[in-house]
Amino acid sequence: MRRLPILLLAALALPTLAVAAERDASAERGKVLVQRHCAGCHAIATTGRSRNPAAPPFRELHRRYPVENLAEALAEGIIVGHPAMPELRFGPTDVNAIIRYLKSVQVSQAAGL
């Protein structure tokens, strides 16, 4: 009988852990995509400079607009940005992955950056 509450708690926690693992995998997919398509110009991590000075570091995108606002542009084709930016289009799964990754690298404004 003493094990029942522990088993119940574990059963309730499993879906939460599965969702967290799925989010991590999605963010990792987003990282792969931005490494492939964006890292040639943009700094894509939490540190470093963009190779193209006109290309904002991804960790600072939240200063310009909410990162979620990029979802539509990623799906329909980003045609504005820095002058040398190619038009890129991504499917819904990739858009979600990229947004998850971008959210994971945003610097905290409290950190003074």
Side-chain angles (χ1 to χ4, degrees), residues 23 26-35 43-46 58 67 95-106:
R23 285 184 184 153
S26 179
E28 188 61 32
R29 168 94 177 124
K31 180 180 180 180
V32 169
L33 290 166
V34 300
Q35 282 175 328
I44 63 166
T46 56
F58 281 179
V67 173
V95 168
N96 289 333
I98 292 168
I99 295 296
R100 284 193 200 282
Y101 177 72
L102 291 176
K103 286 181 176 183
S104 77
V105 297
Q106 296 309 292

Side-chain angles (χ1 to χ4, degrees), residues 44-61:
I44 63 166
T46 56
T47 61
R49 290 186 175 193
S50 294
R51 291 180 183 177
N52 180 339
F58 281 179
R59 67 182 169 274
E60 297 177 358
L61 291 176

Side-chain angles (χ1 to χ4, degrees), residues 10-103:
L12 292 173
L14 285 177
T16 302
L17 294 173
V19 168
E22 184 178 319
R23 285 184 184 153
D24 288 347
S26 179
E28 188 61 32
R29 168 94 177 124
K31 180 180 180 180
V32 169
L33 290 166
V34 300
Q35 282 175 328
R36 183 180 306 142
H37 297 286
C38 311
C41 294
H42 294 269
I44 63 166
T46 56
T47 61
R49 290 186 175 193
S50 294
R51 291 180 183 177
N52 180 339
F58 281 179
R59 67 182 169 274
E60 297 177 358
L61 291 176
H62 70 281
R63 294 180 179 172
R64 296 170 181 241
Y65 35 73
V67 173
E68 299 85 12
N69 289 1
L70 287 172
E72 184 176 349
L74 289 167
E76 294 181 2
I78 295 178
I79 54 174
V80 293
H82 57 83
M85 188 167 165
E87 183 176 347
L88 300 169
R89 288 191 178 125
F90 298 95
T93 301
D94 289 345
V95 168
N96 289 333
I98 292 168
I99 295 296
R100 284 193 200 282
Y101 177 72
L102 291 176
K103 286 181 176 183

